[in-house]
Amino acid sequence: AALNYLQVRAAGNDSESNAGERLERMRINLASSGPIAGALQKCLDMVKDVSIETQRKLVPELDSALRKGAGFNTRAAVADAVASLCSTCPAAFQCKTGSTMSNPTVRLFRALYFASERERGALAKDKMIHSLGSLAELTPGKAVRTLSVNACDRYNESSGSNNDENVRRAAAATCRAIAVRAPSHLIDGGPGDVWVRKVLPTAYIGM
């Protein structure tokens, strides 16, 4: 709590020297080099050796940890775990359910976007966007298109008199991460050709 207070004060009072961002980076580096982070990494390294059913049970747990995490270190750790598992255990995220909304991978994909939108720290936000882009490659195309269009709408809504730089930055970064890290989805833009008409222009203008 004390470190959170210091970071908020530093970000508000010393924006020119990026004191808040430097403090955030220091906190994440300290957390990632500690014994808990080491134990977590060993657990992640072992996931590829367990059954696919067990791997898939991790997805809703990651979603829950991201939504309920009180500290940005928790959210950053979830983002790192998702990015790692997308590389080592991609089949864990390929869940086939009757409804898109009940698909654990889609829920996690959406949670990463909304968490990045609310996140104030630049480093934690970047981690979430990076893992979102990696997860997009393993997420059903319809869900990826829907979230991308929503991000474009959020970008437009947060401009002008409703200016919100954090929302615009998260929306544009999301569009760019999907385009760069999950290019296979660009083949199918749906009936409205959303990639050409909305998503790619937003990614270009917003960045």
Side-chain angles (χ1 to χ4, degrees), residues 3 15 20 25-26 32 36 39 48 62 74 76 78 85 99 122 141 179:
L3 286 174
S15 57
R25 187 175 299 275
M26 180 187 71
S32 62
I36 295 178
K48 63 181 181 293
L62 290 168
T74 300
V78 171
L85 292 175
S99 168

Side-chain angles (χ1 to χ4, degrees), residues 28-45:
I28 288 181
N29 287 340
L30 284 172
S32 62
S33 60
I36 295 178
L40 178 60
Q41 185 57 52
K42 288 183 179 180
C43 290
L44 290 173
D45 291 341

Side-chain angles (χ1 to χ4, degrees), residues 15 73 186:
S15 57
N73 272 326
L186 303 185

